[in-house]
Amino acid sequence: MELDELKQSWQALDRRMAQQHALTLQLQRESRLEKMRHGLRPLRVGQIVQIVAGALLSLVAGHFWFEHRPYPHLLFCGVLVHLYGVLMIVFAARNLHLVKQIDYAAPVLDIQRRLAELRAWKTRVEAPVFLVTGCFVWIPALLMLFAGLGADVWKLHPDVVLWLCASGVASLLLVWLGMQAIKRIWGARVLEREAAGYSVRRAEAVLDEVRRFEND
């Protein structure tokens, strides 16, 4: 009887230790995933700010091109800036949607897949699009600004517009050359890492901690 009681005591102790270990794992997992959620907060805030900025830009540009409908070149500038504002809103909304799709109660592999989707969107779509458009959108914006001040640069000095466009092309070329140099010196992963952004990199690091903790 004493041997049976000893076995039962050991079994009960094993069960309690297993339960305690499972509870510790769960608490550690929740703590790290909460840290990951917190790490993505700056990204969410940044995208909300971008939506507001895009909405304001679209509103100003929309009013501009509507008021300058009789002037095709100014209408064109206003529409371009308006579309850029809409682009800012759409891309920010897409980022917020991808962040919202992350289920922190799901298995680590599922969270990794969601985070990989966010990284792929930011590095393969968002960064290249804003890189190219950013080299040129300032041109119609500048022409809008001068027109709003009463100086129609396109009409009065069309050669200046050509120089501005050439500057945009040169800017894009310089950016491309800079990227090629970075790839040769530090590798393409450096560019991808920077394009993903600090919040995504931090979330990936925390998720790696969770995966290693669960595998240990």
Side-chain angles (χ1 to χ4, degrees):
M1 291 298 296
E2 293 181 357
L3 182 59
D4 290 338
E5 290 176 358
L6 183 61
K7 289 181 178 179
Q8 291 175 2
S9 298
W10 276 110
Q11 291 172 355
L13 180 61
D14 286 341
R15 286 194 297 270
R16 286 196 295 269
M17 291 183 63
Q19 292 171 356
Q20 183 65 33
H21 181 66
L23 180 60
T24 301
L25 285 175
Q26 182 64 23
L27 291 175
Q28 290 287 347
R29 184 181 192 275
E30 292 177 357
S31 175
R32 284 172 167 81
L33 290 179
E34 182 60 29
K35 181 180 177 182
M36 175 183 168
R37 188 200 302 269
H38 180 76
L40 287 172
R41 187 174 301 168
L43 175 61
R44 292 194 296 269
V45 173
Q47 300 312 297
I48 293 173
V49 172
Q50 182 174 312
I51 288 175
V52 174
L56 292 175
L57 186 61
S58 298
L59 183 63
V60 172
H63 177 74
F64 178 87
W65 68 255
F66 186 81
E67 292 294 324
H68 293 82
R69 286 173 295 168
Y71 311 99
H73 58 293
L74 297 179
L75 172 66
F76 178 67
C77 290
V79 169
L80 287 180
V81 177
H82 190 174
L83 290 176
Y84 186 79
V86 173
L87 189 70
M88 291 174 64
I89 296 172
V90 171
F91 275 58
R94 173 64 175 170
N95 281 325
L96 289 175
H97 172 72
L98 290 173
V99 172
K100 188 177 180 180
Q101 289 295 106
I102 299 175
D103 181 6
Y104 297 94
V108 173
L109 288 178
D110 185 68
I111 300 176
Q112 283 182 319
R113 181 173 62 84
R114 295 294 186 182
L115 203 56
E117 290 178 3
L118 177 61
R119 168 183 273 271
W121 164 258
K122 289 180 66 63
T123 58
R124 300 176 187 176
V125 181
E126 182 183 56
V129 168
F130 278 121
L131 180 64
V132 175
T133 56
C135 291
F136 296 98
V137 72
W138 61 273
I139 300 173
L142 187 63
L143 295 175
M144 276 179 51
L145 176 61
F146 278 112
L149 295 175
D152 190 346
V153 176
W154 193 325
K155 183 178 180 179
L156 297 176
H157 302 284
D159 55 322
V160 172
V161 178
L162 293 177
W163 278 108
L164 292 176
C165 293
S167 299
V169 175
S171 299
L172 183 60
L173 180 60
L174 287 175
V175 170
W176 183 81
L177 290 174
M179 291 174 61
Q180 296 305 311
I182 292 174
K183 287 181 180 179
R184 292 193 188 95
I185 298 173
W186 292 289
R189 295 190 64 180
V190 173
L191 292 174
E192 184 177 344
R193 181 174 62 86
E194 293 302 317
Y198 174 76
S199 293
V200 173
R201 298 198 305 270
R202 182 180 179 185
E204 289 174 335
V206 173
L207 195 58
D208 286 340
E209 291 179 6
V210 175
R211 184 184 58 188
R212 287 195 299 268
F213 183 79
E214 291 186 346
N215 291 337
D216 288 343

